[in-house]
Amino acid sequence: MADKIRPYEDNEGKALPYPLLINTMLWLVGGAQTLRLKMHSRHPRHSAEITLRKILTLAKDTEYGREHHFDTILHATSTKDFFLLYQNFVPVNESFETLRPYIDRHKNGETDILFPGKPDMYATTSGTTSEPKWVPMTHKYLKAVYGKMSHVWTWNFVKHRSRIFGGHIFPIVGKEVEGYAPDGTLFGSVSGVLVRDIPPIIKKHYVAPAAVMSIPEYGARNYALMRLALQHRDVTLWATANPSTILELMRTVDEHAEELIMDIAHGTISEKFDIPDDIRETLKPYVFTKPERAQELKTLLQQNGRLLPKDYWPWLQYLSTWKCGNTKIYMDKYMDAFNWDKTYYQELGYIATECRFGFSLDDTNESVLFPHFHYYEFVAEEELDKPNKHFLQIDELKLGKRYCAYVTTYSGLYRYNMNDLVEVGGYYRKTPTVHMISKVNGIVSMTGEKLYEPQFIQAVHEAEKETKIKTKFFVGFADVEESLYHFYFEFANEDIRQEQADAFAKVVDEHLQKINIEYEAKRSSFRLHEPKAHLLQSNAYARFKTACLRDGFRDGQFKFNLLMQDEMRRRKFAFIERFEEGKLGQAIIEKANELDERVKQRRAERAQRRGERRQRWQTRREERRRRWTKNDETAGKEQAKE
């Protein structure tokens, strides 16, 4: 960092205060948990065994524990036998559906099914069927695992930016309470509940209460969030899982800048936005009248033409969000909006609804795993399609290799397939660190929607029933650049025109929103745009497969999903797309341009490979020359001695 850049000072030289009390508290609790993490990370296999023994001991008298012989497994005397018995007696839960019957019994009031007692809450997210996942969260997991991991996380903030709690913080989390199970247990967002229960000494630094996330209309919710955040000049931390949320909130400021400035000047929240009266009442203590701040924002708007985070939050110390997998495309769109000399940019970590798998402790994309809180298993990428997979322990992973992750938790997930492909990028002490690559097994997630192939198939079939239009073939592709899905249809009636295909795709979209709660949320919040429909030529699948085989695929190994994120395959479908007469000429031009680009790319790749070979040859030649020179010098010295 350049000497002239001081992260704790704004452009006028004003400095953030040092939060001594909060930092001392975080050092005591977070520092202790960090030391514990370091200790267990030095011996990952031993920690893994201890963790699994604790989980099985806790659950051995539950119905699931008795069914799967936890007591017998615990009698193993060696680490190797212990892990083997666990793999032999406990089946892999490849999807949530195998655990759903047990969880449904908990939801209806039964105790001691997957774990002792009942859960404190359920975290909800989309599942493979139209019924969402209800992931149980036990008291043990929330307090002894999730809570202690949070201590490490917040202490990590302070280590990188010691004055981060000298200003206001802006975390964006899910809705804390979505509803209640039949037995009265709440379901909602884990992060929302934890934010609700955070200690008052930190909560007073929040720009908004948890209630703001209960505003039903997303446009109004985004406006309220930025209204409450923009009034503070000293926002120091912005944390949200998905970078697409950052883009949406920046767009809200662009579209409503003058309205926001007026509200800040008068201490109001515009009545133009549909915010329920009870929530408006809850927000009142967080709404301030700040004419000086409004004038500052107005001046910035006039000078720069728009309001950006680097301007309206000059003390922003930390931005924490996902940086791996598909999210890079969203990150690239706001990189110029922040002052990275001041703002520390950190990967949020491998965090899912099912569990807090791990999170980053530095500015890399690597997530540090917690072997003393979860039991992890992994399957190498090349074995994912094999019927008999070889499960690896945490200390058996290799640097640079990719794996599918499985987890066992204190909340009743046993050998649960996370359906995530991760790559080992480093080590924390002797424990591998991982970063997210993509979803696997027919799951696509651009902005966190986790759309499953069976859901897409179901939505198309529901659309067929509703519209009375039959398909012969269909396929969906995720387009991360445009943040939307492309739906390709071959209809039984070849007279179907583009307008009818567009209407059919709209019905599919509506059913997807009914089936998948995460997809509905991302569509409602504008993070996912309306899908585009494409008409296919007749016998589309056969044409596509022929093209793939021509490009080198083996017939016996040819596999095909109906929902993918795969630009190479989507380009093949673009070439068997059926266009109406008015669009045909333009389509030909576009295909020709695309071919030109592909040819140019291949030429560039060949040129690069030639350059690399030339460089390697020159390096070897220089090395040989140095060896010859050295040998000649040695021989000369020996002759001189003689």
Side-chain angles (χ1 to χ4, degrees), residues 68-124:
H68 296 93
H69 312 287
F70 284 6
D71 194 51
T72 301
I73 299 169
L74 287 165
H75 278 89
T77 55
S78 72
T79 302
K80 181 180 179 181
D81 289 344
F82 178 59
F83 289 149
L84 282 175
L85 284 175
Y86 185 61
Q87 292 178 5
N88 289 335
F89 282 122
V90 180
V92 173
N93 288 291
E94 293 288 2
S95 81
F96 186 80
E97 298 310 309
T98 55
L99 292 173
R100 190 185 292 278
Y102 299 96
I103 293 170
D104 283 345
R105 292 175 64 181
H106 275 298
K107 283 167 57 180
N108 286 290
E110 292 189 55
T111 60
D112 304 334
I113 306 300
L114 282 171
F115 39 76
K118 292 166 56 179
D120 279 11
M121 65 167 294
Y122 295 95
T124 49

Side-chain angles (χ1 to χ4, degrees), residues 317-533:
Q317 303 289 293
Y318 230 94
L319 181 67
S320 183
T321 185
W322 284 330
K323 296 163 64 177
C324 296
N326 293 329
T327 59
K328 187 180 185 303
I329 191 67
Y330 302 104
M331 290 164 42
D332 291 343
K333 295 179 181 179
Y334 61 63
M335 292 304 289
D336 293 337
F338 294 85
N339 183 346
W340 301 115
D341 288 325
K342 287 189 174 184
T343 304
Y344 193 87
Y345 191 21
Q346 188 173 70
E347 158 71 29
L348 188 69
Y350 186 4
I351 297 174
T353 304
E354 288 85 353
C355 74
R356 203 170 194 173
F357 206 90
F359 49 72
S360 178
L361 298 180
D362 54 26
D363 59 355
T364 70
N365 290 349
E366 296 303 307
S367 287
V368 174
L369 306 183
F370 286 66
H372 54 305
F373 288 148
H374 302 95
Y375 174 64
Y376 307 102
E377 294 175 274
F378 299 88
V379 172
E381 180 182 22
E382 59 269 21
E383 292 195 19
L384 291 180
D385 294 326
K386 293 183 178 179
N388 298 313
K389 300 178 179 65
H390 178 217
F391 284 85
L392 301 171
Q393 301 303 321
I394 192 171
D395 62 324
E396 296 178 306
L397 307 189
K398 303 297 182 184
L399 187 67
K401 288 203 65 175
R402 294 180 176 182
Y403 304 89
C404 183
Y406 293 74
V407 69
T408 296
T409 74
Y410 284 99
S411 279
L413 299 183
Y414 301 101
R415 309 197 71 199
Y416 179 79
N417 187 356
M418 296 292 290
N419 267 312
D420 293 325
L421 190 66
V422 298
E423 182 177 304
V424 177
Y427 291 89
Y428 183 79
R429 301 304 186 265
K430 293 185 178 180
T431 300
T433 60
V434 302
H435 58 270
M436 177 78 165
I437 298 298
S438 65
K439 302 299 289 184
V440 295
N441 295 340
I443 307 173
V444 177
S445 189
M446 291 187 287
T447 67
E449 70 274 15
K450 288 181 283 189
L451 189 60
Y452 292 77
E453 183 182 44
Q455 294 175 334
F456 174 56
I457 295 170
Q458 180 185 345
V460 172
H461 290 331
E462 293 293 336
E464 288 178 322
K465 293 177 186 176
E466 184 173 329
T467 62
K468 310 300 182 188
I469 297 175
K470 296 296 181 184
T471 62
K472 290 177 66 177
F473 173 75
F474 57 86
V475 64
F477 288 93
D479 186 339
V480 183
E481 285 280 352
E482 299 294 329
S483 193
L484 54 80
Y485 285 88
H486 294 272
F487 296 158
Y488 291 83
F489 300 111
E490 180 188 348
F491 293 104
N493 181 358
E494 294 186 1
D495 293 330
I496 293 288
R497 313 304 291 174
Q498 184 64 47
E499 184 178 349
Q500 293 167 286
D502 292 339
F504 186 84
K506 188 166 289 189
V507 177
V508 173
D509 180 47
E510 291 169 356
H511 282 285
L512 283 174
Q513 293 186 54
K514 294 176 184 176
I515 293 168
N516 183 313
I517 58 173
E518 302 283 5
Y519 180 88
E520 189 275 334
K522 304 310 182 287
R523 286 283 287 112
S524 299
S525 62
F526 318 114
R527 283 175 278 179
L528 274 180
H529 303 140
E530 185 175 353
K532 288 185 179 179

Side-chain angles (χ1 to χ4, degrees), residues 157-214:
F157 290 159
V158 175
K159 285 193 299 180
H160 293 295
R161 289 289 188 269
S162 63
R163 302 192 185 195
I164 192 169
F165 291 105
H168 283 81
I169 56 179
F170 186 24
I172 301 172
V173 298
K175 187 177 177 182
E176 59 177 299
V177 180
E178 296 280 355
Y180 295 89
D183 69 339
T185 304
L186 74 87
F187 66 87
S189 162
V190 181
S191 57
V193 170
L194 290 177
V195 165
R196 180 198 65 188
D197 298 336
I198 207 155
I201 192 172
I202 293 179
K203 187 181 289 186
K204 70 178 183 180
H205 290 264
Y206 279 40
V207 301
V212 73
M213 301 308 296
S214 297

Side-chain angles (χ1 to χ4, degrees), residues 149-353:
M149 290 178 73
S150 294
H151 295 158
V152 176
W153 196 43
T154 49
W155 172 237
N156 176 63
F157 290 159
V158 175
K159 285 193 299 180
H160 293 295
R161 289 289 188 269
S162 63
R163 302 192 185 195
I164 192 169
F165 291 105
H168 283 81
I169 56 179
F170 186 24
I172 301 172
V173 298
K175 187 177 177 182
E176 59 177 299
V177 180
E178 296 280 355
Y180 295 89
D183 69 339
T185 304
L186 74 87
F187 66 87
S189 162
V190 181
S191 57
V193 170
L194 290 177
V195 165
R196 180 198 65 188
D197 298 336
I198 207 155
I201 192 172
I202 293 179
K203 187 181 289 186
K204 70 178 183 180
H205 290 264
Y206 279 40
V207 301
V212 73
M213 301 308 296
S214 297
I215 298 174
E217 205 274 308
Y218 279 93
R221 182 188 304 180
N222 288 345
Y223 184 87
L225 280 168
M226 293 312 292
R227 161 64 184 93
L228 297 174
L230 272 182
Q231 68 185 345
H232 299 291
R233 190 172 190 268
D234 64 343
V235 169
T236 52
L237 167 64
W238 194 359
T240 181
N242 206 301
S244 62
T245 302
I246 295 171
L247 286 174
E248 283 303 314
L249 292 176
M250 287 174 57
R251 185 172 67 85
T252 297
V253 174
D254 286 339
E255 292 178 356
H256 305 288
E258 294 182 359
E259 191 83 27
L260 287 161
I261 291 170
M262 190 179 301
D263 274 342
I264 292 169
H266 296 105
T268 56
I269 299 181
S270 176
E271 293 291 338
K272 294 180 182 178
F273 296 92
D274 185 15
I275 301 174
D277 292 340
D278 60 328
I279 296 180
R280 281 186 181 272
E281 195 65 29
T282 305
L283 299 182
K284 276 185 178 180
Y286 293 84
V287 178
F288 302 104
T289 304
K290 293 190 172 184
E292 297 86 359
R293 174 62 171 164
Q295 183 57 48
E296 180 187 13
L297 293 172
K298 186 176 181 180
T299 302
L300 287 171
L301 183 61
Q302 291 171 345
Q303 290 175 346
N304 303 325
R306 64 181 298 204
L307 295 173
L308 293 174
K310 63 183 178 183
D311 298 319
Y312 51 74
W313 290 329
W315 281 308
L316 187 64
Q317 303 289 293
Y318 230 94
L319 181 67
S320 183
T321 185
W322 284 330
K323 296 163 64 177
C324 296
N326 293 329
T327 59
K328 187 180 185 303
I329 191 67
Y330 302 104
M331 290 164 42
D332 291 343
K333 295 179 181 179
Y334 61 63
M335 292 304 289
D336 293 337
F338 294 85
N339 183 346
W340 301 115
D341 288 325
K342 287 189 174 184
T343 304
Y344 193 87
Y345 191 21
Q346 188 173 70
E347 158 71 29
L348 188 69
Y350 186 4
I351 297 174
T353 304

